[in-house]
Amino acid sequence: MFKKSLLLFIIITLVSCHATKSPIVTTKKAVSKNNTYSSRTKKNSKSRNEVIESTSRTVVTNDIVSNYVLEYKDIAMSNMKTYGIPASIILAQGILESGAGRGDLAVSANNHFGIKCHSDWTGDSVRHDDDASQECFRKYDKVAESYRDHALFLTGKGRYSSLFELDKDDYQAWAKGLRKAGYATDPRYPEKLISYIERYNLAQYDAQVLGIKYRPIENQNIRSIAVSSRNESYYEVQKGDTLYSISKKYNMMVDDLKRKNKLTDNTLYIGQKLKVN
């Protein structure tokens, strides 16, 4: 009788232990998965969107622009050494013209500088709407070929010869010189290039090539107000500014600020002058 009771007790104990084990594993897996998702979502929320308009309208995050710089900075510095074009200008043009590598021409043709075919081009090409409908643009097998062709384009065209008389660390003069020589039709082209150079500290790559000390833009003095000869007040956009923060500073509505300055979206550039009276 005693042996039967002992056997029954052992069987009940084993069944009880087996019944309580399996739910624990399922619960841990579910919690671990949720925690991973929450952490990733929080991290991504820090990136800000930015609109880049050149041969196509492209929306990218600042992380995408930063990654673009990291990917092509070595090519830009190499081209600066070989051809004498500031690496900061090369990278800024690449960001703007290619939508940080996400624009239509960059994706379909590896064309990162918006260079059109012209009469001397014998390579592959694609058609794309720009100043006119279905214009001819150069197509490359690799992005590095686009960077090299950009350098050859500037050094081989007489209209850009005056650029190479400028100091290699004067990116502002180069940005304005490109517009003056006819590289782009957008009157705001120079300030857009300067904005990218200063926001992403692209001049550090010029300094590396030239062997000089680089001072980050955060440590430089930026003018906040400029007054024209017609006594109109302007605000010069600084790093971190938004239309909302500027409108609050001058007791204006955002829509009024956009209307005064003929803005079609909320995109701002460091150094951009906004009418505020």
Side-chain angles (χ1 to χ4, degrees):
M1 183 66 182
F2 174 78
K3 289 183 178 180
K4 289 183 178 180
S5 298
L6 180 60
L7 181 59
L8 181 61
F9 176 78
I10 292 172
I11 292 172
I12 293 172
T13 302
L14 290 174
V15 171
S16 176
C17 290
H18 179 73
T20 57
K21 278 186 177 180
S22 44
I24 297 174
V25 178
T26 305
T27 303
K28 284 186 178 179
K29 287 183 178 178
V31 171
S32 175
K33 184 177 181 180
N34 288 339
N35 283 345
T36 302
Y37 178 80
S38 298
S39 174
R40 188 177 300 147
T41 303
K42 184 176 181 180
K43 182 178 180 180
N44 289 343
S45 66
K46 294 179 181 179
S47 296
R48 292 180 300 173
N49 284 345
E50 178 170 342
V51 178
I52 299 178
E53 291 192 54
S54 53
T55 51
S56 61
R57 183 182 177 90
T58 311
V59 179
V60 298
T61 64
N62 50 2
D63 286 342
I64 289 174
V65 178
S66 296
N67 288 335
Y68 181 90
V69 172
L70 290 175
E71 185 170 0
Y72 297 111
K73 64 182 179 63
D74 290 334
I75 296 178
M77 287 191 289
S78 176
N79 281 6
M80 180 177 180
K81 293 174 185 177
T82 304
Y83 302 102
I85 306 165
S88 60
I89 288 291
I90 296 171
L91 288 168
Q93 283 195 280
I95 293 168
L96 178 58
E97 297 288 352
S98 76
R102 301 299 180 94
D104 293 343
L105 276 178
V107 173
S108 65
N110 285 322
N111 188 331
H112 281 227
F113 296 92
I115 298 180
K116 297 177 181 178
C117 293
H118 300 287
S119 58
D120 58 346
W121 179 249
T122 58
D124 291 336
S125 63
V126 294
R127 294 285 173 176
H128 185 81
D129 292 345
D130 192 41
D131 296 327
S133 176
Q134 292 297 289
E135 292 193 79
C136 182
F137 286 86
R138 301 183 182 189
K139 182 179 181 180
Y140 309 93
D141 291 331
K142 299 178 181 178
V143 175
E145 294 176 9
S146 176
Y147 269 75
R148 181 175 179 272
D149 194 43
H150 167 259
L152 295 175
F153 184 80
L154 292 183
T155 55
K157 300 286 184 182
R159 61 178 176 171
Y160 299 115
S161 59
S162 61
L163 291 173
F164 296 91
E165 299 173 6
L166 302 172
D167 291 337
K168 298 297 182 287
D169 60 348
D170 191 352
Y171 60 81
Q172 293 194 9
W174 274 79
K176 294 172 184 176
L178 281 166
R179 168 74 177 91
K180 185 177 180 181
Y183 191 97
T185 56
D186 183 359
R188 296 171 63 197
Y189 193 77
E191 66 184 82
K192 289 179 180 180
L193 294 182
I194 292 169
S195 171
Y196 285 119
I197 292 171
E198 295 183 347
R199 277 190 289 153
Y200 293 94
N201 287 308
L202 303 183
Q204 64 179 297
Y205 305 115
D206 299 338
Q208 286 185 40
V209 173
L210 296 172
I212 60 178
K213 186 176 181 180
Y214 172 69
R215 183 173 59 171
I217 192 66
E218 288 85 357
N219 297 331
Q220 298 179 9
N221 294 323
I222 301 177
R223 292 175 300 148
S224 60
I225 296 292
V227 181
S228 74
S229 58
R230 294 179 295 173
N231 295 321
E232 292 179 326
S233 294
Y234 292 82
Y235 177 79
E236 187 169 315
V237 176
Q238 302 179 57
K239 187 174 182 178
D241 279 338
T242 64
L243 284 175
Y244 179 77
S245 66
I246 296 171
S247 67
K248 285 295 183 184
K249 187 177 295 186
Y250 291 96
N251 295 317
M252 302 174 64
M253 300 291 292
V254 172
D255 287 343
D256 292 338
L257 184 60
K258 291 174 70 173
R259 185 168 55 254
K260 279 180 177 290
N261 293 279
K262 298 179 180 179
L263 301 176
T264 58
D265 55 41
N266 296 333
T267 305
L268 295 176
Y269 307 92
I270 291 177
Q272 180 179 357
K273 293 180 177 63
L274 298 178
K275 189 184 297 184
V276 291
N277 73 341

